[in-house]
Amino acid sequence: MNISEFAKIAGVSKSAVSRYFNDGYLSDDKRALIEKAIEETGYSPGISAHSASKRVTKLVGVIIPKLSSESISRVVDGISEVLTAEGFDLLLVNTSNDVNKEIASLELFRNKHVDGVILLASIFTETHLSVLSKMKVPVVIAGQQLKGFNCVCHSDENAAYALTKLMLDKGRSKPAVIGVTHDDLAAGKARWDGFYRAVAEAGLSVPRRFTEVALFNMDSGYEKAANIFSGNVKPDCIFCATDNIAMGVLLYCREAGIKVPEDVMIASVGDNRSGRVAYTTLTTAHLHYKTEGINAARMLLRELKSSDMVTKTLQLDFEIIERGSTGGCETV
Amino acid sequence: MNISEFAKIAGVSKSAVSRYFNDGYLSDDKRALIEKAIEETGYSPGISAHSASKRVTKLVGVIIPKLSSESISRVVDGISEVLTAEGFDLLLVNTSNDVNKEIASLELFRNKHVDGVILLASIFTETHLSVLSKMKVPVVIAGQQLKGFNCVCHSDENAAYALTKLMLDKGRSKPAVIGVTHDDLAAGKARWDGFYRAVAEAGLSVPRRFTEVALFNMDSGYEKAANIFSGNVKPDCIFCATDNIAMGVLLYCREAGIKVPEDVMIASVGDNRSGRVAYTTLTTAHLHYKTEGINAARMLLRELKSSDMVTKTLQLDFEIIERGSTGGCETV
DNA sequence: CTGAAAGCGCTAACAA
DNA sequence: TTGTTAGCGCTTTCAG
């Protein structure tokens, strides 16, 4: 059923119907007529033709590297909360960590398929920059900071610094670190930097053997912990870039009979659910992921209304949650 | 830039351009001309007008109750994997557990805004049935079983039965249960049924005080565990409908000094990440959530090609993973 | 194989 | 306030 057909049934003109669903510049009689016909037929206007005319899709493209991640689903949660309240729908693209797919999605969105894009990126290649600079719809980048673009991100460096300092302040002097690739500026580089800043401030240094680069998962954390503990001299505290990695370390320690926090303290960033219930509960930095999503969406909305030429970066604060793995309370 | 403008630049007709992006009934010269122009201009056809003409959106609506759930994100992961491979995009609607919003989304999708719908429902009201029966696009229901509709679901009853039996077979004789609302036929009713079937088979009964209805989260599990243990006679095993609930129970036991599995065994359904690393690792039934998503998407795709009038239900199997909370291996 | 022209379902400008 | 008419950008006949 299309608008003409429906208009005929309702006994009004196409325009009247169109007005009913839009500005509503309409007399009450016509309005009643239309409402009655809707009751009977269940008609609702097709969105595609609407978009074709209006040149507005009421759709926001959200590009994510994966979905099965606690942090990412919280971000998307925040995004959807704000966007749906404003009548926008989410076009979700899951790139499965495939950079090419990420680029392809951006290109897909480049023109007029969506009104705006929120990109949860992990790394930025040359191609990213090139495609991003050519976008014709507003883009907001979430979780990372990229000069010249609207961003919502976290205080990764400070969080890593605070966690490391917390352990060193308790008298630990042989720190180790398991980070992730520097290509990821937020979870990688910034957290490395924060760790090293705290270490330097304490007048300590970190032997090569005490630094490992892991993947974003528990198994990788386990493996890297095994490496670190394989030598004669053992660390007395470990900073991990992500909670998942820390979970792997915790698992290794448990199996190897290494006591946490007595023998080694552990702290990491993310505040995953698991950390609250792990056999040794995890000291972590809570990043406000949902707030990240909410703010990214709001920023996009603002951009949609009046595209400022000056780009903004919003950096969200964090909270240290001390639990058992650094000698804090076991149940927080 | 629109098709006419682009056609002029490329030096061909609108139709030629249209053909290039569609059936490709085109000579090589024209094709080359167009490709060159694309290089220069970065033109890509707008999807809305395309949809308006074709009456196909290449969009699938996915309705979910919440996003911040491990199981749901796994399902959506599976859905997106299959769908994007087939060139479909996901229109994600997060209802935040609001039944009205769920209905509203269905109505929104009812007509021609999406090519199909995958619904991750938790409960079915009268209104659901009424709206669902009026849908004009194919619908697949995931995670629940609803007569007369295409469904992909789990063997919830059997999983609950198997877990309960596992504990009873180890000699436990005072079973307790913390379930969720019967309104949820899968996580609620079916799992209650499975629990009681095992109990009945063992010739046991369950005192009223040993049955609790919790919400879908850890805090609720904690609270209900406190209730159950407040009496003089204590249970020696507890079946929980979800892992989150079980985590709360585990937390309670830890604080109350109740030993798991010595004093009380615990088992639940879901295989959340947390269960692997909890202070007592959790015996659980692994449900194939991602597979659920994959199959729901495939089913929808099939329906899109040739809408069968006969509806199907696909019931997925499960796997029992025994860990510490029932005396199994602590690290699986 | 090609381009002109009509059509998709909707919105928007206009005169009444 | 209304209906008519022209347009939105794309696809699809239909002659040639």
Side-chain angles (χ1 to χ4, degrees), chain B residues 83-207:
Chain B
L83 252 30
T84 59
E86 293 287 327
F88 285 85
D89 283 316
L90 266 72
L91 203 50
L92 194 77
V93 178
N94 180 352
T95 66
S96 308
N97 272 308
D98 178 342
V99 179
N100 294 326
K101 210 163 164 186
E102 196 168 294
I103 303 287
S105 314
L106 280 171
E107 289 192 317
L108 183 74
F109 290 154
R110 181 149 50 113
N111 291 288
K112 286 267 40 153
H113 311 143
V114 295
D115 294 346
V117 174
I118 296 177
L119 173 63
L120 307 208
S122 43
I123 66 165
F124 292 109
T125 63
E126 285 297 321
T127 324
H128 276 90
L129 271 359
S130 141
V131 176
L132 278 171
S133 64
K134 285 191 202 128
M135 295 294 287
K136 286 163 189 159
V137 294
V139 180
V140 171
I141 291 166
Q144 297 278 344
Q145 204 166 350
L146 186 61
K147 226 172 173 170
F149 292 91
N150 289 301
C151 302
V152 179
C153 59
H154 303 281
S155 307
D156 288 286
E157 204 269 354
N158 288 327
Y161 170 82
L163 287 168
T164 308
K165 182 166 157 56
L166 181 150
M167 296 190 286
L168 300 181
D169 281 353
K170 298 204 176 202
R172 302 296 162 126
S173 59
K174 292 181 289 180
V177 56
I178 306 181
V180 297
T181 172
H182 274 74
D183 291 342
D184 185 323
L185 263 25
K189 180 162 188 325
R191 297 183 193 169
W192 285 104
D193 289 351
F195 168 78
Y196 280 112
R197 179 156 64 94
V199 168
E201 249 184 49
L204 300 169
S205 71
V206 186

Side-chain angles (χ1 to χ4, degrees), chain B residues 34-295:
Chain B
I34 291 173
E35 259 153 17
K36 185 156 144 286
I38 292 178
E39 279 294 308
E40 286 164 10
T41 62
Y43 169 78
S44 94
I47 200 113
S48 336
H50 174 107
S51 305
S53 291
K54 283 266 216 178
R55 255 84 54 80
V56 164
T57 59
K58 277 287 183 180
L59 240 42
V60 169
V62 178
I63 303 177
I64 60 174
K66 60 176 176 177
L67 200 44
S68 46
S69 144
E70 232 182 288
S71 53
I72 292 175
S73 50
R74 284 195 214 158
V75 177
V76 178
D77 209 25
I79 293 175
S80 83
E81 189 174 296
V82 174
L83 252 30
T84 59
E86 293 287 327
F88 285 85
D89 283 316
L90 266 72
L91 203 50
L92 194 77
V93 178
N94 180 352
T95 66
S96 308
N97 272 308
D98 178 342
V99 179
N100 294 326
K101 210 163 164 186
E102 196 168 294
I103 303 287
S105 314
L106 280 171
E107 289 192 317
L108 183 74
F109 290 154
R110 181 149 50 113
N111 291 288
K112 286 267 40 153
H113 311 143
V114 295
D115 294 346
V117 174
I118 296 177
L119 173 63
L120 307 208
S122 43
I123 66 165
F124 292 109
T125 63
E126 285 297 321
T127 324
H128 276 90
L129 271 359
S130 141
V131 176
L132 278 171
S133 64
K134 285 191 202 128
M135 295 294 287
K136 286 163 189 159
V137 294
V139 180
V140 171
I141 291 166
Q144 297 278 344
Q145 204 166 350
L146 186 61
K147 226 172 173 170
F149 292 91
N150 289 301
C151 302
V152 179
C153 59
H154 303 281
S155 307
D156 288 286
E157 204 269 354
N158 288 327
Y161 170 82
L163 287 168
T164 308
K165 182 166 157 56
L166 181 150
M167 296 190 286
L168 300 181
D169 281 353
K170 298 204 176 202
R172 302 296 162 126
S173 59
K174 292 181 289 180
V177 56
I178 306 181
V180 297
T181 172
H182 274 74
D183 291 342
D184 185 323
L185 263 25
K189 180 162 188 325
R191 297 183 193 169
W192 285 104
D193 289 351
F195 168 78
Y196 280 112
R197 179 156 64 94
V199 168
E201 249 184 49
L204 300 169
S205 71
V206 186
R208 176 90 44 85
R209 294 204 50 266
F210 282 4
T211 77
E212 291 279 351
V213 178
L215 302 176
F216 283 80
N217 62 57
M218 184 168 136
D219 293 337
S220 184
Y222 180 96
E223 188 189 318
K224 301 309 178 189
N227 287 352
I228 287 180
F229 281 105
S230 66
N232 283 325
V233 34
K234 318 283 186 188
D236 59 9
C237 66
I238 305 181
F239 167 72
C240 304
T242 78
D243 275 12
N244 281 340
I245 293 172
M247 283 337 268
V249 177
L250 232 34
L251 188 62
Y252 174 82
C253 290
R254 180 183 223 195
E255 286 183 23
I258 298 164
K259 282 200 192 117
V260 180
E262 293 83 350
D263 301 336
V264 64
M265 289 185 173
I266 299 173
S268 62
V269 180
D271 196 17
N272 277 185
R273 269 190 285 267
S274 322
R276 254 183 90 187
V277 295
Y279 27 83
T280 308
T281 57
L282 190 62
T283 291
T284 191
H286 179 90
L287 303 185
H288 299 92
Y289 288 115
K290 186 165 180 183
T291 310
E292 175 191 340
I294 290 175
N295 281 286

Side-chain angles (χ1 to χ4, degrees), chain B residues 2-3 14 18 22 46 50 53:
Chain B
N2 65 23
I3 196 174
K14 289 193 334 176
S18 175
N22 293 281
H50 174 107
S53 291

